[in-house]
Amino acid sequence: MTDSHCFDTSRLDALFAPRSIAVVGASDQASKIGGIPLDYLLRFGYGGALYAVNPRASRVQGLPAHERLAAIGAPVDLAIVAVPQSQVTGVLEDAAAARVQSMVLFSSGYAETGSDGTAAQQALARRAQEAGIRLIGPNCLGFMRPGHQVYATFSPAPGGGLVRPGRIGMVSQSGAFGAYAYSLARERGLGLSLWATTGNEADVQLADGLAWLAQDPETDVIMAYMEGCRDGPRLRAALALAQERGKPVVMCKVGTSALGAAAAASHTASLAGNDAVYDAVFRRYGVLRAHSITDFFALAASASIARAPKGRSIGLFTVSGGVGAMMADDASAAGLDVAPLSDAAQRQLREWVPFAAPRNPVDITGQVTNDMTLLERSAHLMLADRQFDSWLGFFAAGGLSDAFWPVLQSLVQTLRTHHPDTLLAVSTLCPPERRDALEALGCLVFADPGAAIRCIGALARLHETPQALPAMADAGSALHLPAGTLSEQRSMALLAEAGVPVVPHRLVRTAAEAAQAVQAVQAVQAAQEMGGRIVLKVCSDAIAHKSDVGGVALNLADAAGAQAAFDRILANARQARPDAHIDGALAAPMVQGGVECIAGVHRDPVFGPVLMFGLGGIHAEILRDVSLRLLPITRDDALAMVRELRAFAVLDGARGRPRVDLDSIADTLCALAGFAQRAGATLESAEINPLIARPREDGGCVAVDALVIGREAA
């Protein structure tokens, strides 16, 4: 599906790796927008051909000034355009005539200003595409490539000091955040391979930057700041490419949107909220999502310093029992496995320090001050005993001590030598040069042990993400749904045909038929001692939420009651919706017992069909305890959706409750996904609410209500 999307990033080489640059609107004043990039390129030593374009000057910052791009008479890979919006069209035509390969457009006055600006931006994008020019912007802060001295930006950040070249690429949709992040990277000592801002994204989007970095041999880790996405398949393809190339993506995604959810007729759209869908996208492609600026940089630095651990086991070592307890709590919250040491290892530790806490966390207390050898002996014992995937040591302010520093440095060196596959981390206060020395050994260094554990937990997820998107299974012939809401009868029929187990039901059109429905259910269920009760629900394409119009009657046990209920619910529905065509009422047996769940698939406006599952009632609507997956899915994905609910224990037999048939739920989710595949672009949403989950011996799960909404395919 989207993973097969092929990016042609070769044309971005002229943008991000230009051999020649022209600054259009070049200014002799290094403080002006047209002067800043030229000043940077000259001052910081850009080695390619450099041209100034200014029709009103003969020389600019010591360079000959050209009247226009076409007058240069030499190939131009990149034009940095710093002119008012009114002049941009002329510059673009000039660039097309000069066969310029790419352009950075600082100019504002486009989509950010309203409908007229949007139209102007679309025209700009079309003309650039016709001319074969890759365009970043408009309304952007540009980009920098520190290792190649390319500074196509008017940001003041480099003027305060240059970030060192390195192997972390950074792409931001926001120029202001990008400039702030550049300065933070410089202060943190992170080395960047690329820094880019995409602005209004008339052509080059954040996804294009991600894809280029995924293929850049000078980049190992990718940082991205996102406010939103218009092209979901493009983003998914870029993330898939980074995943395929083994390059961790650290994403800071801000903002939420109500697109597609505000006017939805089903619960699924609102439960699968915009930001929750982004979470599902990131999880699918192993993206490390940062929810704070601190974590954004900590995760990126960690991913660039150390390889991801191969599993979730962690050894915790501390010189403070209180901090050890906090670390254990944080590790549990991060989903890490704090397995205890063996009895033999614990006995050995007690022989060395009788008052040690030897389980895990291992606390050898302040005794390490009297016997510095305890540090290495204890750490090596831990890793030899349990082969932990990660190891974290807390040493308080020990990194500031001249006496303790050689011991700590020796510890990291020997652990790295003897346990090369273990992720090593220490939490201690230390000066930057000591932090750099430990990081050079592949050891993560944190002042806060909680931050260390959050990063280790995030990195551990990288090995747990599937590396290939499942192919769409053959779900049968294509299905074309009519636009609009379908009645419960039509919805149930469609889902039953797709393989969803649905409760037996029949459409009754008169009160007499309703009475017959009770008698039929009683005849079937008498031997099963299930009470023979039925439910009646008004049936109409125009009424999605039947209870809202008084169109539901429950626990009907006799013919007279069923007849009266039929007349009542149809009268209620006609009074509430006199415009609605009513087919009759749907009669079905009451389903006894089980756990009420909700399952649905909703077409997200950016990413397409998204599958949702959760427990019903308060769990879904108030606690929002639901799991999501982008389609397509595997059966393992379906089982994982069920197991990752916070309330999974309710399904798994908590407190003596019968354990429901999990396989039946997974099969139903796969059938629902297959239905969405067949319906394609004609499906807006399909929802089963409730889906009653029952034990295997009771028949497994069963859909007792359904709502399908079709849409006009584009």
Side-chain angles (χ1 to χ4, degrees), residues 668-703:
T668 298
L669 292 175
C670 289
L672 191 56
F675 170 74
Q677 173 187 342
R678 289 182 58 207
T682 67
L683 176 68
E684 180 62 35
S685 68
E687 180 175 284
I688 305 168
N689 183 22
L691 175 71
I692 303 298
R694 302 177 297 183
R696 188 186 305 269
E697 57 270 23
D698 292 339
C701 69
V702 61

PDB file of all heavy atoms in Angstrom, residues 668-703:
ATOM      1  N   THR A 668     -13.071 -11.019  14.128  1.00  0.00           N
ATOM      2  CA  THR A 668     -14.058  -9.988  13.801  1.00  0.00           C
ATOM      3  C   THR A 668     -13.376  -8.708  13.334  1.00  0.00           C
ATOM      4  O   THR A 668     -13.813  -8.069  12.361  1.00  0.00           O
ATOM      5  CB  THR A 668     -14.952  -9.702  15.021  1.00  0.00           C
ATOM      6  OG1 THR A 668     -15.658 -10.896  15.372  1.00  0.00           O
ATOM      7  CG2 THR A 668     -15.939  -8.591  14.734  1.00  0.00           C
ATOM      8  N   LEU A 669     -12.295  -8.323  14.000  1.00  0.00           N
ATOM      9  CA  LEU A 669     -11.559  -7.128  13.590  1.00  0.00           C
ATOM     10  C   LEU A 669     -10.972  -7.308  12.189  1.00  0.00           C
ATOM     11  O   LEU A 669     -10.985  -6.379  11.379  1.00  0.00           O
ATOM     12  CB  LEU A 669     -10.452  -6.814  14.601  1.00  0.00           C
ATOM     13  CG  LEU A 669     -10.924  -6.348  15.983  1.00  0.00           C
ATOM     14  CD1 LEU A 669      -9.740  -6.189  16.930  1.00  0.00           C
ATOM     15  CD2 LEU A 669     -11.687  -5.035  15.880  1.00  0.00           C
ATOM     16  N   CYS A 670     -10.463  -8.500  11.898  1.00  0.00           N
ATOM     17  CA  CYS A 670      -9.923  -8.766  10.563  1.00  0.00           C
ATOM     18  C   CYS A 670     -11.032  -8.720   9.513  1.00  0.00           C
ATOM     19  O   CYS A 670     -10.830  -8.210   8.401  1.00  0.00           O
ATOM     20  CB  CYS A 670      -9.219 -10.117  10.538  1.00  0.00           C
ATOM     21  SG  CYS A 670      -7.645 -10.148  11.446  1.00  0.00           S
ATOM     22  N   ALA A 671     -12.212  -9.242   9.862  1.00  0.00           N
ATOM     23  CA  ALA A 671     -13.338  -9.192   8.933  1.00  0.00           C
ATOM     24  C   ALA A 671     -13.772  -7.750   8.676  1.00  0.00           C
ATOM     25  O   ALA A 671     -14.086  -7.373   7.538  1.00  0.00           O
ATOM     26  CB  ALA A 671     -14.507 -10.004   9.487  1.00  0.00           C
ATOM     27  N   LEU A 672     -13.772  -6.936   9.728  1.00  0.00           N
ATOM     28  CA  LEU A 672     -14.135  -5.528   9.587  1.00  0.00           C
ATOM     29  C   LEU A 672     -13.120  -4.800   8.710  1.00  0.00           C
ATOM     30  O   LEU A 672     -13.482  -3.988   7.846  1.00  0.00           O
ATOM     31  CB  LEU A 672     -14.214  -4.890  10.977  1.00  0.00           C
ATOM     32  CG  LEU A 672     -14.821  -3.496  11.097  1.00  0.00           C
ATOM     33  CD1 LEU A 672     -16.227  -3.443  10.522  1.00  0.00           C
ATOM     34  CD2 LEU A 672     -14.827  -3.061  12.565  1.00  0.00           C
ATOM     35  N   ALA A 673     -11.829  -5.117   8.897  1.00  0.00           N
ATOM     36  CA  ALA A 673     -10.790  -4.520   8.059  1.00  0.00           C
ATOM     37  C   ALA A 673     -10.945  -4.952   6.605  1.00  0.00           C
ATOM     38  O   ALA A 673     -10.781  -4.153   5.681  1.00  0.00           O
ATOM     39  CB  ALA A 673      -9.411  -4.911   8.588  1.00  0.00           C
ATOM     40  N   GLY A 674     -11.284  -6.235   6.385  1.00  0.00           N
ATOM     41  CA  GLY A 674     -11.507  -6.710   5.025  1.00  0.00           C
ATOM     42  C   GLY A 674     -12.693  -6.033   4.360  1.00  0.00           C
ATOM     43  O   GLY A 674     -12.663  -5.721   3.162  1.00  0.00           O
ATOM     44  N   PHE A 675     -13.734  -5.796   5.133  1.00  0.00           N
ATOM     45  CA  PHE A 675     -14.894  -5.069   4.613  1.00  0.00           C
ATOM     46  C   PHE A 675     -14.487  -3.667   4.164  1.00  0.00           C
ATOM     47  O   PHE A 675     -14.886  -3.198   3.085  1.00  0.00           O
ATOM     48  CB  PHE A 675     -15.978  -5.006   5.683  1.00  0.00           C
ATOM     49  CG  PHE A 675     -17.122  -4.087   5.353  1.00  0.00           C
ATOM     50  CD1 PHE A 675     -18.065  -4.447   4.406  1.00  0.00           C
ATOM     51  CD2 PHE A 675     -17.243  -2.859   5.980  1.00  0.00           C
ATOM     52  CE1 PHE A 675     -19.120  -3.603   4.092  1.00  0.00           C
ATOM     53  CE2 PHE A 675     -18.296  -2.001   5.674  1.00  0.00           C
ATOM     54  CZ  PHE A 675     -19.230  -2.384   4.721  1.00  0.00           C
ATOM     55  N   ALA A 676     -13.679  -2.999   4.982  1.00  0.00           N
ATOM     56  CA  ALA A 676     -13.224  -1.650   4.629  1.00  0.00           C
ATOM     57  C   ALA A 676     -12.371  -1.687   3.366  1.00  0.00           C
ATOM     58  O   ALA A 676     -12.448  -0.788   2.520  1.00  0.00           O
ATOM     59  CB  ALA A 676     -12.426  -1.054   5.790  1.00  0.00           C
ATOM     60  N   GLN A 677     -11.562  -2.744   3.224  1.00  0.00           N
ATOM     61  CA  GLN A 677     -10.740  -2.891   2.024  1.00  0.00           C
ATOM     62  C   GLN A 677     -11.617  -3.014   0.782  1.00  0.00           C
ATOM     63  O   GLN A 677     -11.368  -2.357  -0.238  1.00  0.00           O
ATOM     64  CB  GLN A 677      -9.854  -4.121   2.164  1.00  0.00           C
ATOM     65  CG  GLN A 677      -9.067  -4.462   0.909  1.00  0.00           C
ATOM     66  CD  GLN A 677      -8.329  -5.782   1.034  1.00  0.00           C
ATOM     67  OE1 GLN A 677      -8.121  -6.284   2.127  1.00  0.00           O
ATOM     68  NE2 GLN A 677      -7.949  -6.346  -0.102  1.00  0.00           N
ATOM     69  N   ARG A 678     -12.650  -3.839   0.872  1.00  0.00           N
ATOM     70  CA  ARG A 678     -13.528  -4.037  -0.283  1.00  0.00           C
ATOM     71  C   ARG A 678     -14.291  -2.758  -0.636  1.00  0.00           C
ATOM     72  O   ARG A 678     -14.487  -2.440  -1.813  1.00  0.00           O
ATOM     73  CB  ARG A 678     -14.508  -5.161   0.002  1.00  0.00           C
ATOM     74  CG  ARG A 678     -13.903  -6.555   0.038  1.00  0.00           C
ATOM     75  CD  ARG A 678     -14.985  -7.582   0.291  1.00  0.00           C
ATOM     76  NE  ARG A 678     -16.027  -7.525  -0.721  1.00  0.00           N
ATOM     77  CZ  ARG A 678     -17.295  -7.889  -0.517  1.00  0.00           C
ATOM     78  NH1 ARG A 678     -17.682  -8.314   0.676  1.00  0.00           N
ATOM     79  NH2 ARG A 678     -18.179  -7.810  -1.495  1.00  0.00           N
ATOM     80  N   ALA A 679     -14.738  -2.046   0.386  1.00  0.00           N
ATOM     81  CA  ALA A 679     -15.530  -0.832   0.146  1.00  0.00           C
ATOM     82  C   ALA A 679     -14.678   0.323  -0.352  1.00  0.00           C
ATOM     83  O   ALA A 679     -15.176   1.226  -1.034  1.00  0.00           O
ATOM     84  CB  ALA A 679     -16.273  -0.437   1.421  1.00  0.00           C
ATOM     85  N   GLY A 680     -13.389   0.317   0.015  1.00  0.00           N
ATOM     86  CA  GLY A 680     -12.469   1.336  -0.486  1.00  0.00           C
ATOM     87  C   GLY A 680     -12.920   2.744  -0.164  1.00  0.00           C
ATOM     88  O   GLY A 680     -13.368   3.052   0.943  1.00  0.00           O
ATOM     89  N   ALA A 681     -12.825   3.609  -1.171  1.00  0.00           N
ATOM     90  CA  ALA A 681     -13.115   5.032  -0.964  1.00  0.00           C
ATOM     91  C   ALA A 681     -14.596   5.306  -0.765  1.00  0.00           C
ATOM     92  O   ALA A 681     -14.974   6.442  -0.457  1.00  0.00           O
ATOM     93  CB  ALA A 681     -12.596   5.843  -2.144  1.00  0.00           C
ATOM     94  N   THR A 682     -15.473   4.283  -0.958  1.00  0.00           N
ATOM     95  CA  THR A 682     -16.910   4.525  -0.766  1.00  0.00           C
ATOM     96  C   THR A 682     -17.335   4.353   0.690  1.00  0.00           C
ATOM     97  O   THR A 682     -18.510   4.538   1.004  1.00  0.00           O
ATOM     98  CB  THR A 682     -17.753   3.579  -1.645  1.00  0.00           C
ATOM     99  OG1 THR A 682     -17.603   2.226  -1.192  1.00  0.00           O
ATOM    100  CG2 THR A 682     -17.339   3.678  -3.102  1.00  0.00           C
ATOM    101  N   LEU A 683     -16.410   3.990   1.565  1.00  0.00           N
ATOM    102  CA  LEU A 683     -16.732   3.823   2.991  1.00  0.00           C
ATOM    103  C   LEU A 683     -16.297   5.039   3.788  1.00  0.00           C
ATOM    104  O   LEU A 683     -15.134   5.435   3.745  1.00  0.00           O
ATOM    105  CB  LEU A 683     -16.036   2.582   3.554  1.00  0.00           C
ATOM    106  CG  LEU A 683     -16.230   2.355   5.062  1.00  0.00           C
ATOM    107  CD1 LEU A 683     -17.679   1.998   5.372  1.00  0.00           C
ATOM    108  CD2 LEU A 683     -15.291   1.271   5.578  1.00  0.00           C
ATOM    109  N   GLU A 684     -17.230   5.631   4.508  1.00  0.00           N
ATOM    110  CA  GLU A 684     -16.892   6.683   5.471  1.00  0.00           C
ATOM    111  C   GLU A 684     -16.587   6.056   6.817  1.00  0.00           C
ATOM    112  O   GLU A 684     -15.565   6.348   7.432  1.00  0.00           O
ATOM    113  CB  GLU A 684     -18.038   7.680   5.597  1.00  0.00           C
ATOM    114  CG  GLU A 684     -17.770   8.813   6.582  1.00  0.00           C
ATOM    115  CD  GLU A 684     -16.594   9.675   6.172  1.00  0.00           C
ATOM    116  OE1 GLU A 684     -16.402   9.885   4.946  1.00  0.00           O
ATOM    117  OE2 GLU A 684     -15.847  10.130   7.054  1.00  0.00           O
ATOM    118  N   SER A 685     -17.479   5.181   7.310  1.00  0.00           N
ATOM    119  CA  SER A 685     -17.226   4.491   8.570  1.00  0.00           C
ATOM    120  C   SER A 685     -18.133   3.279   8.676  1.00  0.00           C
ATOM    121  O   SER A 685     -19.193   3.215   8.036  1.00  0.00           O
ATOM    122  CB  SER A 685     -17.439   5.417   9.783  1.00  0.00           C
ATOM    123  OG  SER A 685     -18.797   5.764   9.922  1.00  0.00           O
ATOM    124  N   ALA A 686     -17.697   2.331   9.486  1.00  0.00           N
ATOM    125  CA  ALA A 686     -18.515   1.166   9.836  1.00  0.00           C
ATOM    126  C   ALA A 686     -18.278   0.901  11.305  1.00  0.00           C
ATOM    127  O   ALA A 686     -17.121   0.847  11.742  1.00  0.00           O
ATOM    128  CB  ALA A 686     -18.131  -0.051   8.998  1.00  0.00           C
ATOM    129  N   GLU A 687     -19.349   0.743  12.047  1.00  0.00           N
ATOM    130  CA  GLU A 687     -19.208   0.611  13.496  1.00  0.00           C
ATOM    131  C   GLU A 687     -20.087  -0.507  14.031  1.00  0.00           C
ATOM    132  O   GLU A 687     -21.248  -0.639  13.623  1.00  0.00           O
ATOM    133  CB  GLU A 687     -19.570   1.930  14.166  1.00  0.00           C
ATOM    134  CG  GLU A 687     -19.453   1.909  15.683  1.00  0.00           C
ATOM    135  CD  GLU A 687     -19.711   3.281  16.266  1.00  0.00           C
ATOM    136  OE1 GLU A 687     -18.805   4.124  16.155  1.00  0.00           O
ATOM    137  OE2 GLU A 687     -20.809   3.522  16.796  1.00  0.00           O
ATOM    138  N   ILE A 688     -19.520  -1.303  14.922  1.00  0.00           N
ATOM    139  CA  ILE A 688     -20.272  -2.311  15.665  1.00  0.00           C
ATOM    140  C   ILE A 688     -20.322  -1.836  17.108  1.00  0.00           C
ATOM    141  O   ILE A 688     -19.284  -1.782  17.787  1.00  0.00           O
ATOM    142  CB  ILE A 688     -19.584  -3.685  15.589  1.00  0.00           C
ATOM    143  CG1 ILE A 688     -19.366  -4.107  14.133  1.00  0.00           C
ATOM    144  CG2 ILE A 688     -20.404  -4.733  16.333  1.00  0.00           C
ATOM    145  CD1 ILE A 688     -18.450  -5.300  13.980  1.00  0.00           C
ATOM    146  N   ASN A 689     -21.507  -1.495  17.576  1.00  0.00           N
ATOM    147  CA  ASN A 689     -21.618  -0.930  18.912  1.00  0.00           C
ATOM    148  C   ASN A 689     -23.022  -1.222  19.479  1.00  0.00           C
ATOM    149  O   ASN A 689     -23.987  -0.570  19.099  1.00  0.00           O
ATOM    150  CB  ASN A 689     -21.380   0.585  18.867  1.00  0.00           C
ATOM    151  CG  ASN A 689     -21.417   1.212  20.242  1.00  0.00           C
ATOM    152  OD1 ASN A 689     -21.215   0.539  21.253  1.00  0.00           O
ATOM    153  ND2 ASN A 689     -21.661   2.510  20.295  1.00  0.00           N
ATOM    154  N   PRO A 690     -23.116  -2.241  20.350  1.00  0.00           N
ATOM    155  CA  PRO A 690     -21.967  -2.948  20.917  1.00  0.00           C
ATOM    156  C   PRO A 690     -21.627  -4.243  20.177  1.00  0.00           C
ATOM    157  O   PRO A 690     -22.464  -4.832  19.498  1.00  0.00           O
ATOM    158  CB  PRO A 690     -22.441  -3.281  22.329  1.00  0.00           C
ATOM    159  CG  PRO A 690     -23.919  -3.479  22.166  1.00  0.00           C
ATOM    160  CD  PRO A 690     -24.350  -2.512  21.096  1.00  0.00           C
ATOM    161  N   LEU A 691     -20.371  -4.641  20.374  1.00  0.00           N
ATOM    162  CA  LEU A 691     -19.906  -5.980  20.041  1.00  0.00           C
ATOM    163  C   LEU A 691     -19.792  -6.701  21.383  1.00  0.00           C
ATOM    164  O   LEU A 691     -19.015  -6.279  22.238  1.00  0.00           O
ATOM    165  CB  LEU A 691     -18.545  -5.914  19.350  1.00  0.00           C
ATOM    166  CG  LEU A 691     -17.868  -7.252  19.042  1.00  0.00           C
ATOM    167  CD1 LEU A 691     -18.603  -7.975  17.922  1.00  0.00           C
ATOM    168  CD2 LEU A 691     -16.400  -7.045  18.656  1.00  0.00           C
ATOM    169  N   ILE A 692     -20.590  -7.747  21.578  1.00  0.00           N
ATOM    170  CA  ILE A 692     -20.585  -8.447  22.857  1.00  0.00           C
ATOM    171  C   ILE A 692     -19.540  -9.559  22.802  1.00  0.00           C
ATOM    172  O   ILE A 692     -19.631 -10.478  21.978  1.00  0.00           O
ATOM    173  CB  ILE A 692     -21.969  -9.041  23.185  1.00  0.00           C
ATOM    174  CG1 ILE A 692     -23.033  -7.935  23.178  1.00  0.00           C
ATOM    175  CG2 ILE A 692     -21.930  -9.741  24.537  1.00  0.00           C
ATOM    176  CD1 ILE A 692     -22.816  -6.852  24.200  1.00  0.00           C
ATOM    177  N   ALA A 693     -18.525  -9.446  23.663  1.00  0.00           N
ATOM    178  CA  ALA A 693     -17.470 -10.461  23.742  1.00  0.00           C
ATOM    179  C   ALA A 693     -17.878 -11.500  24.778  1.00  0.00           C
ATOM    180  O   ALA A 693     -18.202 -11.157  25.925  1.00  0.00           O
ATOM    181  CB  ALA A 693     -16.145  -9.810  24.122  1.00  0.00           C
ATOM    182  N   ARG A 694     -17.870 -12.775  24.370  1.00  0.00           N
ATOM    183  CA  ARG A 694     -18.290 -13.862  25.255  1.00  0.00           C
ATOM    184  C   ARG A 694     -17.258 -14.982  25.222  1.00  0.00           C
ATOM    185  O   ARG A 694     -16.414 -15.040  24.319  1.00  0.00           O
ATOM    186  CB  ARG A 694     -19.655 -14.403  24.801  1.00  0.00           C
ATOM    187  CG  ARG A 694     -20.759 -13.358  24.762  1.00  0.00           C
ATOM    188  CD  ARG A 694     -22.055 -13.940  24.230  1.00  0.00           C
ATOM    189  NE  ARG A 694     -21.919 -14.398  22.857  1.00  0.00           N
ATOM    190  CZ  ARG A 694     -22.909 -14.904  22.122  1.00  0.00           C
ATOM    191  NH1 ARG A 694     -24.111 -15.011  22.660  1.00  0.00           N
ATOM    192  NH2 ARG A 694     -22.707 -15.302  20.881  1.00  0.00           N
ATOM    193  N   PRO A 695     -17.326 -15.892  26.189  1.00  0.00           N
ATOM    194  CA  PRO A 695     -16.426 -17.042  26.163  1.00  0.00           C
ATOM    195  C   PRO A 695     -16.663 -17.897  24.917  1.00  0.00           C
ATOM    196  O   PRO A 695     -17.734 -17.835  24.287  1.00  0.00           O
ATOM    197  CB  PRO A 695     -16.784 -17.809  27.436  1.00  0.00           C
ATOM    198  CG  PRO A 695     -17.414 -16.786  28.335  1.00  0.00           C
ATOM    199  CD  PRO A 695     -18.143 -15.853  27.417  1.00  0.00           C
ATOM    200  N   ARG A 696     -15.659 -18.714  24.591  1.00  0.00           N
ATOM    201  CA  ARG A 696     -15.764 -19.566  23.413  1.00  0.00           C
ATOM    202  C   ARG A 696     -16.985 -20.491  23.485  1.00  0.00           C
ATOM    203  O   ARG A 696     -17.700 -20.686  22.500  1.00  0.00           O
ATOM    204  CB  ARG A 696     -14.484 -20.398  23.272  1.00  0.00           C
ATOM    205  CG  ARG A 696     -14.392 -21.179  21.962  1.00  0.00           C
ATOM    206  CD  ARG A 696     -13.168 -22.088  21.977  1.00  0.00           C
ATOM    207  NE  ARG A 696     -11.961 -21.326  22.242  1.00  0.00           N
ATOM    208  CZ  ARG A 696     -11.194 -20.780  21.312  1.00  0.00           C
ATOM    209  NH1 ARG A 696     -11.539 -20.910  20.041  1.00  0.00           N
ATOM    210  NH2 ARG A 696     -10.092 -20.119  21.636  1.00  0.00           N
ATOM    211  N   GLU A 697     -17.236 -21.036  24.693  1.00  0.00           N
ATOM    212  CA  GLU A 697     -18.338 -21.982  24.829  1.00  0.00           C
ATOM    213  C   GLU A 697     -19.706 -21.322  24.665  1.00  0.00           C
ATOM    214  O   GLU A 697     -20.709 -22.005  24.438  1.00  0.00           O
ATOM    215  CB  GLU A 697     -18.275 -22.704  26.181  1.00  0.00           C
ATOM    216  CG  GLU A 697     -18.291 -21.788  27.392  1.00  0.00           C
ATOM    217  CD  GLU A 697     -16.887 -21.375  27.839  1.00  0.00           C
ATOM    218  OE1 GLU A 697     -15.948 -21.428  26.996  1.00  0.00           O
ATOM    219  OE2 GLU A 697     -16.740 -21.009  29.017  1.00  0.00           O
ATOM    220  N   ASP A 698     -19.755 -20.002  24.766  1.00  0.00           N
ATOM    221  CA  ASP A 698     -21.014 -19.279  24.563  1.00  0.00           C
ATOM    222  C   ASP A 698     -21.155 -18.756  23.140  1.00  0.00           C
ATOM    223  O   ASP A 698     -22.091 -17.999  22.835  1.00  0.00           O
ATOM    224  CB  ASP A 698     -21.129 -18.116  25.547  1.00  0.00           C
ATOM    225  CG  ASP A 698     -21.305 -18.589  26.984  1.00  0.00           C
ATOM    226  OD1 ASP A 698     -21.729 -19.752  27.173  1.00  0.00           O
ATOM    227  OD2 ASP A 698     -21.012 -17.810  27.912  1.00  0.00           O
ATOM    228  N   GLY A 699     -20.194 -19.126  22.287  1.00  0.00           N
ATOM    229  CA  GLY A 699     -20.295 -18.722  20.886  1.00  0.00           C
ATOM    230  C   GLY A 699     -19.364 -17.610  20.469  1.00  0.00           C
ATOM    231  O   GLY A 699     -19.428 -17.148  19.324  1.00  0.00           O
ATOM    232  N   GLY A 700     -18.502 -17.138  21.384  1.00  0.00           N
ATOM    233  CA  GLY A 700     -17.600 -16.054  21.022  1.00  0.00           C
ATOM    234  C   GLY A 700     -18.318 -14.728  20.907  1.00  0.00           C
ATOM    235  O   GLY A 700     -19.429 -14.545  21.410  1.00  0.00           O
ATOM    236  N   CYS A 701     -17.699 -13.777  20.224  1.00  0.00           N
ATOM    237  CA  CYS A 701     -18.285 -12.431  20.173  1.00  0.00           C
ATOM    238  C   CYS A 701     -19.400 -12.379  19.130  1.00  0.00           C
ATOM    239  O   CYS A 701     -19.459 -13.178  18.187  1.00  0.00           O
ATOM    240  CB  CYS A 701     -17.215 -11.388  19.886  1.00  0.00           C
ATOM    241  SG  CYS A 701     -16.525 -11.452  18.228  1.00  0.00           S
ATOM    242  N   VAL A 702     -20.277 -11.405  19.307  1.00  0.00           N
ATOM    243  CA  VAL A 702     -21.392 -11.236  18.391  1.00  0.00           C
ATOM    244  C   VAL A 702     -21.752  -9.753  18.304  1.00  0.00           C
ATOM    245  O   VAL A 702     -21.770  -9.041  19.316  1.00  0.00           O
ATOM    246  CB  VAL A 702     -22.613 -12.074  18.833  1.00  0.00           C
ATOM    247  CG1 VAL A 702     -23.107 -11.644  20.206  1.00  0.00           C
ATOM    248  CG2 VAL A 702     -23.733 -11.999  17.808  1.00  0.00           C
ATOM    249  N   ALA A 703     -22.006  -9.288  17.085  1.00  0.00           N
ATOM    250  CA  ALA A 703     -22.431  -7.902  16.869  1.00  0.00           C
ATOM    251  C   ALA A 703     -23.928  -7.809  17.078  1.00  0.00           C
ATOM    252  O   ALA A 703     -24.692  -8.540  16.443  1.00  0.00           O
ATOM    253  CB  ALA A 703     -22.058  -7.460  15.466  1.00  0.00           C
TER     254      ALA A 703
END
